[in-house]
Amino acid sequence: VDEGSPDRVSFKDVLRMLKSNNHCWIGAGIMLFYQMAVGFGAGTYYFTYIIGDISKFSLVSVLSVVLLPVMFVFPALMKKMNVARLFEIFAAIAVAGYLIIFVGNQNFPVVLTGLLLVALLNMPLGYLGALVIMQLATYNEYQNLPRMEGSCGIVSNFASKVGGGIGAGISMIMLGASGFVSSTTGNIVQPAGALLMIRCLYSLIPAVCAVCIILLSVQLGRLCRSVPQMEQEIRDRKEAEAL
């Protein structure tokens, strides 16, 4: 039985969902590109070879704690816009942050400012993802399928794992192609091409992923705007069946 659904879910139902619910793929795509951006994992390289002080990288982990109060503004924002619109806005802020990081280069305060903007994207994707799953389940029910919240979540989680793996793989390939010299110490002088690639993997390439999130969020917005009407039609259908 699929979690969150009182009906027994067959493998055929899951296949029907994957075939008919394109919004499920859009939601999964958002998580895939987000985890790709995270999966590049160039932070250690950036602070070692660009900033020149790996100890400052520890400050980056503090950003998530500093930004926690942002969560409290989400209820007010949700009254004015749907979750997909929030994804668009925060992804656009992240794009600006990535560009600031690239321009900042070795300037730590500027880079930290960019990272602060980038970290904001963690908030809606991390804390509002459950709302997207619920809306995907509503669309399933609208299509006369079981709601299948659990199945929708599995698709999203799988996309996240794949995105992280792709990001890590791309990072290793591009660093190798740029002439990066692997070392257990920070005393290696990296070639100019490797330094530029590290900067790109920490800023411009993740920015492309954030742009993809914006484009997919625009598509997801169609579902968000249609959910109230779908819910009403589902209620009407259930009332008609009960007569």
Side-chain angles (χ1 to χ4, degrees), residues 8-242:
R8 183 170 297 278
V9 176
S10 67
F11 183 66
K12 183 178 180 180
D13 290 328
V14 176
L15 290 179
R16 286 179 58 198
M17 179 193 75
L18 295 176
K19 182 178 180 180
S20 63
N21 192 346
N22 63 307
H23 304 292
C24 187
W25 293 107
I26 292 172
I30 290 173
M31 297 310 301
L32 183 143
F33 281 110
Y34 172 66
Q35 290 299 331
M36 274 184 63
V38 174
F40 292 133
T44 302
Y45 303 130
Y46 193 92
F47 279 80
T48 299
Y49 298 109
I50 306 300
I51 298 298
D53 186 357
I54 188 60
S55 65
K56 291 182 179 179
F57 188 50
S58 60
L59 293 177
V60 176
S61 60
V62 180
L63 294 180
S64 59
V65 178
V66 173
L67 294 174
L68 282 178
V70 175
M71 291 190 305
F72 296 106
V73 306
F74 282 160
L77 292 176
M78 291 292 290
K79 294 178 181 179
K80 300 180 180 180
M81 62 190 74
N82 58 52
V83 63
R85 183 60 176 164
L86 284 175
F87 287 176
E88 293 176 42
I89 292 173
F90 281 83
I93 292 173
V95 171
Y98 283 125
L99 294 178
I100 289 173
I101 293 171
F102 185 78
V103 172
N105 196 4
Q106 296 176 316
N107 190 316
F108 177 66
V110 175
V111 170
L112 193 62
T113 300
L115 288 172
L116 187 68
L117 298 180
V118 168
L120 285 171
L121 184 56
N122 298 341
M123 301 291 108
L125 291 181
Y127 295 98
L128 301 179
L131 293 179
V132 175
I133 297 298
M134 292 175 62
Q135 293 177 341
L136 293 174
T138 296
Y139 185 80
N140 286 337
E141 189 174 7
Y142 179 73
Q143 294 291 316
N144 292 309
L145 288 166
R147 287 184 60 82
M148 294 188 285
E149 285 97 337
S151 297
C152 293
I154 289 173
V155 173
S156 179
N157 290 335
F158 179 75
S160 295
K161 300 295 184 183
V162 172
I166 292 175
I170 290 176
S171 179
M172 293 299 100
I173 292 172
M174 298 187 76
L175 281 175
S178 68
F180 178 80
V181 180
S182 180
S183 173
T184 57
T185 69
N187 299 324
I188 294 294
V189 177
Q190 298 291 345
L195 294 176
L196 178 59
M197 183 56 67
I198 291 171
R199 291 178 62 199
C200 290
L201 284 169
Y202 202 55
S203 57
L204 297 185
I205 299 177
V208 173
C209 292
V211 170
C212 291
I213 291 174
I214 294 173
L215 297 177
L216 289 171
S217 296
V218 171
Q219 299 299 315
L220 185 66
R222 298 176 182 177
L223 170 65
C224 296
R225 291 188 294 270
S226 301
V227 163
Q229 180 183 349
M230 291 181 187
E231 291 176 336
Q232 182 60 51
E233 292 189 23
I234 291 171
R235 287 192 295 268
D236 292 343
R237 188 168 63 203
K238 289 181 176 180
E239 291 175 0
E241 291 173 353

